[in-house]
Amino acid sequence: MFLSSHSPCLFLLLLLLFPTFCISSMSLSQQSSWASKKIRMRDKVRTMFYHAYDNYMTYAFPHDELKPLTKSYTDSLSELGNLKLEHLPHDYNGSALTLIESLSSLVIMGNNTEFEKAVLWLSENLKFDVDARINLFECNIRVLGGLVSAHLLASDSSKKLFQGTYNNQLLFLAEDLGKRFLPAFDTPTGLPYAWINLKYGVMENETTETSTSGCGSLILEMGALSKMTGDPRYESAALRALRKLWSMQSSLRLFGTTLDVETGEWIEFSSGIGAGVDSFYEYLLKAYILFGKEDFWRMFHSAYVAVQKYFRHGPWYHEADMRTGKATYWQLTSLQAFWPGLQVLIGDITAANSSHREFFHVWKRYGVLPERYLLDHRMIHPTEKYYPLRPELAESTFYLYQATKDPWYIEVGETIVNSLNRYTKIEGGFASVKDVTTMQLEDHQHSFFLAETCKYLYLLFDDSFVLENNYIFTTEGHPLPVLSAWHEKLPETYIPTNCTFMKRQTAARRISSMSLQVCPAMTLNPGKHVESACHIPDARSDYRCLTDEDCGVDSTTCRRRSCSIAGYCGLWIF
């Protein structure tokens, strides 16, 4: 996420300056009531977090994740992606994955003492020189992302997180891990292997198949590592992979789901905005915000327009063949629920709200969000009925509340919190749901429950952390500060294609589609035009059409255009 503070900054996306008409229209008594509810819900989420965290520390630490039903542990770092650890050393005690994932959550919830204790333990005990085969993508977003984020927080003297002296211990760990990632990128295409051994690199006969997310969602963590260490290898490797992946798009500007890293050929041509692809789109936009490279925005804008044109069907998003654009699978997956939050960051609030409400409708119907829901049959997928405590709906709820200040999203958050406590809370922590139709539980408390689910719910009710600085959140919920020093160029008057910062006399006026509550192709001043990310051109340049499918989305209002009886696209429906 990217938010503004009250301090001067050259590059801001103004969620917090979005018109708060919903709040301002309330009476004082109503505002007081909502403020009390937010405090009450914040405290409830804090209790949830520590119930999960304390049980992990009691029954699973220093191993990776908690098994709450049996009050035991699993070393899951090398099992991510449903593949098990190979050649596990006898003295391997886990990577303390949940502890690493919890670091920034501890800071956000104000527990500086526990944060310092965790950092000191990790600096003395965490080792990556182990004979363990890990998934590059998961280890990047969870471990490297957690360490990089926590280092940036710890080294921020204004936060005063340490009683003693912080000596960059987490950065040293992050750099050690980053170096162990690099052999994965040694392929003819520059696309990284999905799996790598931390001690020995790429193993003989390693699979060459990976996902779009797996090679296109590395730039935030590895780019940040390069900025902090001055070693360009991490950012260069991630950027080379991203650019190679971008070159593999179809003529429709679509991407597949899986590919071969050695040949650079697609394996699975069908994709959507869910599993295997989701964070690829997310990181294009967030890399633009974090590093300021216009190329990232151009890539995201092109990809977003293609998604809206070929995947969107009303408030839903189906999957389609990247070669033809034809629909392949009409299904909702729980990972898709991140999309409304991403749309908030570009100001497409109407579309974000529309999809978010449909996801919440499914949540209310089942009590939680099933992993896969078949839209064409209006039923849960028969073999994917589980809910592993995923954060995506809570994440989008947080973003939409920040953008609109509509108290309805507070009610959504309250519903999510109550459902989690009712169906998944047990004595030993929070358990995943194996079957949402029976609420049978599964013996697993994923680390992302502490890294993301609890964090986004807490921030929904108490956003004081993001009021202090500008942050984006990685796909695993780890906050990274937006620093002007990380931007290649930020002139005094900066006018990219989606957001502007303009100096007028002595006052700075910051303008974005979000702060204006429009999705514009508008003139800010003579000769300066801002193109909307939600704009989808008509199929034909002369605006002729046979059906509504030939018409796009209006660039000024973000309303879908329709085909008239005379055969022309326009805003005919009011």
Side-chain angles (χ1 to χ4, degrees):
M1 165 165 191
F2 180 35
L3 295 170
S4 64
S5 68
H6 298 297
S7 60
C9 181
L10 288 179
F11 189 74
L12 298 174
L13 194 60
L14 302 180
L15 283 182
L16 297 182
L17 296 185
F18 196 91
T20 57
F21 57 90
C22 294
I23 297 297
S24 61
S25 63
M26 291 182 180
S27 66
L28 291 177
S29 61
Q30 287 175 316
Q31 292 184 41
S32 176
S33 176
W34 279 106
S36 298
K37 171 175 276 195
K38 288 171 66 176
I39 293 173
R40 185 170 67 253
M41 294 307 302
R42 177 202 64 189
D43 294 343
K44 198 169 185 177
V45 174
R46 182 189 283 118
T47 300
M48 289 170 57
F49 173 84
Y50 283 111
H51 181 70
Y53 180 82
D54 291 343
N55 272 288
Y56 163 75
M57 295 300 292
T58 300
Y59 299 112
F61 176 77
H63 295 271
D64 289 349
E65 292 181 321
L66 171 68
K67 299 175 74 173
L69 293 175
T70 56
K71 296 181 180 178
S72 58
Y73 63 83
T74 174
D75 284 316
S76 59
L77 176 61
S78 301
E79 299 171 1
L80 301 172
N82 299 319
L83 291 180
K84 294 187 179 299
L85 183 66
E86 294 179 350
H87 314 302
L88 182 66
H90 294 296
D91 60 349
Y92 181 64
N93 291 319
S95 65
L97 176 62
T98 296
L99 181 64
I100 296 171
E101 291 257 72
S102 300
L103 291 173
S104 60
S105 296
L106 290 169
V107 173
I108 288 171
M109 296 186 190
N111 195 337
N112 297 354
T113 301
E114 188 68 16
F115 175 79
E116 182 175 9
K117 284 173 53 181
V119 170
L120 293 176
W121 186 92
L122 290 169
S123 65
E124 294 172 1
N125 296 278
L126 185 60
K127 301 291 186 292
F128 293 120
D129 189 30
V130 292
D131 183 8
R133 178 176 178 264
I134 56 93
N135 182 279
L136 177 67
F137 167 74
E138 295 288 357
C139 197
N140 174 71
I141 65 172
R142 298 191 186 202
V143 183
L144 183 60
L147 292 173
V148 166
S149 172
H151 164 71
L152 289 165
L153 292 171
S155 56
D156 183 350
S157 59
S158 67
K159 295 191 179 301
K160 300 178 181 178
L161 299 179
F162 267 67
Q163 293 295 323
T165 303
Y166 175 66
N167 295 312
N168 298 325
Q169 299 99 309
L170 297 180
L171 179 59
F172 297 143
L173 286 170
E175 188 171 19
D176 179 31
L177 182 59
K179 288 177 181 177
R180 297 175 189 275
F181 284 177
L182 292 177
F185 294 84
D186 187 15
T187 64
T189 62
L191 298 169
Y193 285 96
W195 295 87
I196 188 169
N197 186 290
L198 287 176
K199 191 178 186 72
Y200 300 112
V202 179
M203 305 300 289
E204 187 177 357
N205 298 320
E206 184 59 82
T207 178
T208 60
E209 182 175 345
T210 190
S211 67
T212 301
S213 290
C215 52
S217 308
L218 305 166
I219 188 62
L220 292 187
E221 294 84 359
M222 296 186 72
L225 183 59
S226 282
K227 298 297 184 186
M228 294 185 301
T229 62
D231 187 338
R233 290 181 297 167
Y234 315 111
E235 183 178 18
S236 295
L239 192 56
R240 181 190 175 204
L242 181 60
R243 286 176 172 160
K244 173 59 180 177
L245 182 63
W246 183 254
S247 74
M248 295 168 59
Q249 65 180 302
S250 72
S251 60
L252 304 179
R253 300 179 181 176
L254 298 177
F255 298 83
T257 303
T258 58
L259 54 121
D260 189 295
V261 301
E262 290 190 348
T263 65
E265 299 293 330
W266 289 106
I267 298 172
E268 174 56 59
F269 294 97
S270 177
S271 73
I273 58 169
V277 189
D278 48 358
S279 54
F280 163 67
Y281 295 112
E282 179 183 5
Y283 273 35
L284 289 177
L285 177 60
K286 291 183 176 180
Y288 170 58
I289 295 170
L290 189 62
F291 302 122
K293 289 185 178 179
E294 193 74 9
D295 283 352
F296 290 130
W297 168 253
R298 283 193 287 266
M299 286 191 284
F300 173 78
H301 181 273
S302 174
Y304 183 79
V305 168
V307 165
Q308 296 298 91
K309 182 174 183 179
Y310 294 106
F311 296 160
R312 185 180 181 183
H313 183 78
W316 302 108
Y317 290 83
H318 57 73
E319 296 184 18
D321 190 306
M322 64 175 287
R323 299 163 296 185
T324 65
K326 300 298 184 183
T328 51
Y329 301 105
W330 291 83
Q331 57 189 7
L332 170 154
T333 64
S334 61
L335 288 172
Q336 293 176 351
F338 90 100
W339 190 254
L342 190 66
Q343 290 180 307
V344 168
L345 291 181
I346 58 170
D348 205 348
I349 307 297
T350 301
N353 175 65
S354 175
S355 294
H356 175 272
R357 287 177 182 267
E358 296 299 333
F359 281 108
F360 183 55
H361 175 74
V362 176
W363 178 288
K364 288 196 298 181
R365 179 176 176 182
Y366 294 103
V368 292
L369 197 60
E371 186 71 1
R372 196 174 299 271
Y373 180 82
L374 304 178
L375 296 172
D376 46 354
H377 298 290
R378 296 189 179 183
M379 60 176 286
I380 299 176
H381 191 283
T383 62
E384 297 188 49
K385 302 178 179 180
Y386 53 90
Y387 169 67
L389 307 175
R390 290 204 188 278
E392 284 76 18
L393 183 61
E395 176 185 359
S396 287
T397 304
F398 161 64
Y399 281 111
L400 277 160
Y401 179 68
Q402 285 295 320
T404 66
K405 299 302 181 184
D406 186 340
W408 182 79
Y409 295 107
I410 298 297
E411 295 181 345
V412 172
E414 183 178 22
T415 299
I416 294 173
V417 168
N418 291 340
S419 293
L420 290 171
N421 280 300
R422 178 180 179 183
Y423 298 119
T424 70
K425 184 179 181 181
I426 57 176
E427 183 181 2
F430 285 83
S432 300
V433 177
K434 186 175 183 179
D435 186 336
V436 302
T437 62
T438 63
M439 289 301 173
Q440 178 186 356
L441 297 179
E442 186 175 7
D443 198 13
H444 200 168
Q445 177 182 285
H446 290 272
S447 61
F448 55 68
F449 180 71
L450 293 97
E452 299 182 82
T453 308
C454 290
K455 178 181 292 163
Y456 285 122
L457 289 170
Y458 187 89
L459 289 171
L460 172 64
F461 304 119
D462 183 348
D463 61 4
S464 55
F465 175 78
V466 293
L467 290 174
E468 299 171 358
N469 294 97
N470 304 298
Y471 292 100
I472 60 162
F473 288 90
T474 70
T475 196
E476 194 70 9
H478 299 305
L480 299 176
V482 179
L483 305 172
S484 60
W486 286 10
H487 286 238
E488 290 189 342
K489 58 176 182 177
L490 279 176
E492 187 172 281
T493 301
Y494 181 59
I495 306 178
T497 56
N498 75 319
C499 175
T500 66
F501 175 91
M502 304 181 66
K503 268 198 169 183
R504 297 184 179 180
Q505 299 175 351
T506 58
R509 181 181 178 188
R510 305 178 183 93
I511 305 172
S512 75
S513 59
M514 204 168 310
S515 63
L516 293 174
Q517 202 177 354
V518 294
C519 196
M522 58 182 292
T523 300
L524 296 172
N525 63 337
K528 303 298 182 182
H529 213 59
V530 175
E531 175 69 12
S532 163
C534 66
H535 178 216
I536 299 177
D538 297 331
R540 293 178 50 167
S541 60
D542 61 1
Y543 314 116
R544 294 300 301 269
C545 57
L546 295 175
T547 68
D548 288 348
E549 292 299 317
D550 297 327
C551 302
V553 174
D554 184 70
S555 61
T556 302
T557 65
C558 278
R559 287 170 48 201
R560 184 166 292 278
R561 291 157 64 83
S562 59
C563 188
S564 69
I565 296 176
Y568 285 91
C569 292
L571 296 175
W572 310 118
I573 300 175
F574 295 91

